[in-house]
Amino acid sequence: MTLQGGSLAIGTPAPLCLRFRSAPLEIRGALERVADWLRAQRPESPPARDLELVLAELLNNISDHSYEGTPGPIRLLLSRRGDWVHCSIEDEGKPLEAKFLPTKCSAVPLPDRDRLPERGYGWVMVRKLARDFDFERCEGRNRLGFRVLLSFPETEAKTGG
Amino acid sequence: MQIDASPFEEGIVLTVRESRIDAACALQFKDRFRDLAADGAGKVILDLAMVDFLDSSGLGAVIASMKSLGPDRSLELAALTPLVRKVFRLTHLDTVMTIHPDAASAVSGADAAP
């Protein structure tokens, strides 16, 4: 039996499951693994790196607010379904309050240059690049689910990149 | 955090020689920027050609660095890679900051950017 040319062999990359701690350099290492996984989705013309950006914001948020800067365990699961990547992030830190979840946010006001805010942009980007957020607190864990569209260069060109 | 500085007639070009400005190095970026830009005069051009990843922590560091220049000096950005350009577009910061296609045109003022 051969799978060569079969739809299961091509176009259904294995899910990615990573366990790491919420220290900045470990988060960076995990994001580099995600970058490799993204490139493997279509090596000859890889998708945009929206997913890395969304994950960076959410993982930094867990580091800051769930673990409050003291590194703790994180489990990240990514699986591709068609043009979407379904994501799940679990941590064992403090229950994440609603204000630290990306479900609600407003645009950051942009006044003149000398009064530009230095924070608040992360949620703006997450809300634009990810959808279908689903949060639960269960058995001492936070679990955040969402999905991100795999945006390939040809669709990026259409939507203005 | 490696950033190289090269003065020109109207200010200084700071070239970031790292692939990321993220939560793990945002503070180092701010410190290094301040060290290099603090004593000079004129505009600062930040060449980001080698930076292929910028998160909101890195973005905050760039904005803090711009504000640290004070009201009389400007920060202009040059050579944004695709993801970095997207970060500025998604946050609408591309509407309030000057962005040049590359450092050379930023220095010569040859491009259309104001």
Side-chain angles (χ1 to χ4, degrees), chain B residues 28-40:
Chain B
Q28 291 97 307
F29 173 87
K30 275 196 278 192
D31 288 347
R32 184 81 179 120
F33 183 101
R34 200 167 293 139
D35 287 348
L36 292 168
D39 296 332

Side-chain angles (χ1 to χ4, degrees), chain A residues 24-25 27-28 31-32 48-50 52-53 56-57 60 107-108 110-111 113-119 121-125 128-129 151 156 159-161, chain B residues 20 22-25 30 52-57 59-60 63-64 66-67 69-75 82-83 86-87 89-93 95-97:
Chain A
L25 286 175
I27 289 175
R28 185 192 277 182
L31 292 172
E32 286 167 348
R49 299 171 66 188
D50 300 0
E52 280 171 78
L53 190 56
E57 302 302 337
N60 292 339
V108 181
L110 299 178
R113 200 202 76 156
D114 297 316
R115 291 184 297 126
L116 277 183
E118 291 163 32
R119 303 177 63 91
Y121 302 103
W123 272 182
V124 173
M125 296 192 282
K128 287 182 179 172
L129 298 176
S151 183
E156 288 271 297
T159 57
Chain B
R20 308 173 73 91
D22 61 12
C25 68
K30 275 196 278 192
D52 65 15
F53 189 85
L54 176 82
D55 65 10
S56 67
S57 305
L59 189 61
I63 293 170
M66 175 172 74
K67 288 155 77 174
L69 293 172
D72 299 327
R73 301 178 68 194
S74 64
L75 177 72
L83 182 89
K86 187 176 243 178
V87 166
R89 189 170 53 76
L90 289 170
T91 56
H92 298 301
L93 284 163
T95 63
V96 292
M97 299 186 74

